[in-house]
Amino acid sequence: MNEQLRADGSLRHLITLENLPRPLIERLLDRAQSLVRPLGARPPVSRALAGRTVANLFTEPSTRTRVSFELAAKRLGAEVVNLEVQLSSRVKGESMLDTVFTLQSLHIDALVIRDAEPGVPGTVAAHVAPHVSVLSAGEAHVGHPTQGLLDALTIRQHKPNFEKLSIAVVGDIRHSRVARSAFHVLRALGVADLRIVAPPALMPEPGEFPGCARHTTLESGLKDADVVMMLRIQTERIAQADLPDAARYYASYGLTSERLALARPDAIVMHPQPMNRGIEIASEVADGPRSVIRDQVRNGIAVRMAVLNEVLAGRSAG
Ligand code: NCD
């Protein structure tokens, strides 16, 4: 979807990482890296987006993504409005686009959208005025581009040579927007050995994730992996009757220290959170020395600052 780019090649919207040019991805990761600070240090602040306004429009729950988009915008000097969707007019039947046009009339420059329905960020992007940017903060099972970028940044901080990496993405791949965005960005960065590991019922349709080896056991999928990315079962996207039994799932697919020993000794463990300890991951692993899960959160704000800066500071004056 190259409608995301302006004529000069800069980013206007961020809806998907699919087909995003590698130099643009690397520019965003480099900028994000320059904004990462150790915990306890003062985070970088600027006035780069002074006078701009960012609206968060979330119709699905979110902690990390919403808070980090808000802090990212504020630390760049922008104003932020958070739409409480249960209070907004959407419950009165006002369409998403009418809400968007209202925000546009209030001089909103960027809309950050999370929605359970596929296609919403793209539809909004197709209808907004030319100066408005749309950023997906999670689109159904389809994509979560800033998560993909923060995952790539986290991997790069530990293992910069993407071409040589073996990466296992484990869990509910079928319903995961995190897995789809990881696939797009890691492919663009040259990862050749990208494996998806899931029980058959949580595997994506054939044809999805082209070129990825599919493993239905954790034991085969983790072998000699450099990076293990664990995912939550997307219960909100699965009918009650089809939900796997939690104890049985943990017995076969839960990441324990014992199973992690099958990966390379220096493998890193990732999880986008929220985590279900004792279902997809053991606490000893989540909190253990190989876990970079908290780094992912720290990197998330840097990535969102880089993206907001790219779409808003890059736009023509006005
Ligand atoms: C993820 C999401 O919403 O897709 N959370 C996040 O943004 N870090 C993962 C999940 O909900 O499982």
Side-chain angles (χ1 to χ4, degrees), residues 60 115-119 138-143 175-177 234 237:
E60 274 195 323
D115 206 274
E117 213 178 292
E139 175 189 355
H141 64 284
V142 176
H175 304 101
S176 175
R177 54 194 177 207
Q234 304 288 291
R237 298 184 222 293

Side-chain angles (χ1 to χ4, degrees), residues 11-245:
L11 190 69
R12 177 182 166 201
H13 302 298
L14 185 60
I15 312 291
T16 176
L17 297 178
E18 193 170 6
N19 299 327
L20 217 57
R22 182 172 181 166
L24 174 55
I25 292 172
E26 286 178 339
R27 181 165 85 229
L28 290 169
L29 296 184
D30 290 345
R31 178 175 278 269
Q33 183 61 50
S34 76
L35 297 167
V36 173
R37 294 290 181 279
L39 291 185
R42 204 183 284 262
V45 289
S46 80
R47 303 287 298 153
L49 301 187
R52 305 291 192 207
T53 306
V54 176
N56 281 325
L57 195 54
F58 280 55
T59 66
E60 274 195 323
S62 173
T63 308
R64 283 151 291 274
T65 307
R66 200 196 58 73
V67 172
S68 62
F69 261 115
E70 176 169 0
L71 287 176
K74 286 181 171 165
R75 288 179 187 164
L76 291 167
E79 279 190 272
V80 179
V81 289
N82 292 306
L83 243 81
E84 297 297 339
V85 169
Q86 58 276 35
L87 301 179
S88 80
S89 295
R90 205 168 171 203
V91 291
K92 296 187 227 157
E94 188 176 340
S95 80
M96 180 65 134
L97 282 177
D98 285 334
T99 305
V100 165
F101 293 140
T102 298
L103 291 169
Q104 193 170 281
S105 301
L106 298 171
H107 287 277
I108 297 293
D109 300 287
L111 282 158
V112 180
I113 297 180
R114 170 171 286 197
D115 206 274
E117 213 178 292
V120 168
T123 301
V124 172
H127 286 87
V128 288
H131 66 279
V132 176
S133 292
V134 176
L135 307 177
S136 166
E139 175 189 355
H141 64 284
V142 176
H144 192 350
T146 55
Q147 180 74 42
L149 291 171
L150 78 88
D151 287 340
L153 181 62
T154 307
I155 294 170
R156 198 177 78 162
Q157 287 165 351
H158 294 269
K159 297 174 186 296
N161 208 342
F162 282 103
E163 277 85 0
K164 296 223 162 74
L165 294 183
S166 297
I167 300 184
V169 186
V170 183
D172 182 6
I173 315 283
R174 187 180 182 87
H175 304 101
S176 175
R177 54 194 177 207
V178 175
R180 287 177 176 79
S181 287
F183 169 72
H184 292 137
V185 71
L186 295 175
R187 271 282 187 269
L189 293 170
V191 175
D193 182 8
L194 191 54
R195 314 161 185 178
I196 56 177
V197 186
L202 299 180
M203 274 291 175
E205 293 294 324
E208 276 203 285
F209 294 84
C212 291
R214 295 181 176 218
H215 294 262
T216 51
T217 71
L218 202 46
E219 285 69 20
S220 68
L222 289 189
K223 202 169 167 350
D224 298 326
D226 299 286
V227 176
V228 183
M229 188 185 292
M230 302 304 295
L231 299 173
R232 178 179 69 89
I233 300 172
Q234 304 288 291
T235 47
E236 65 275 42
R237 298 184 222 293
I238 304 175
Q240 191 70 26
D242 296 332
L243 279 177
D245 173 76

Side-chain angles (χ1 to χ4, degrees), residues 243-271:
L243 279 177
D245 173 76
R248 281 177 54 198
Y249 185 86
Y250 185 64
S252 301
Y253 294 96
L255 187 64
T256 57
S257 307
E258 205 176 27
R259 289 200 168 118
L260 181 57
L262 297 166
R264 292 180 67 87
D266 61 347
I268 56 169
V269 176
M270 304 173 68
H271 193 306

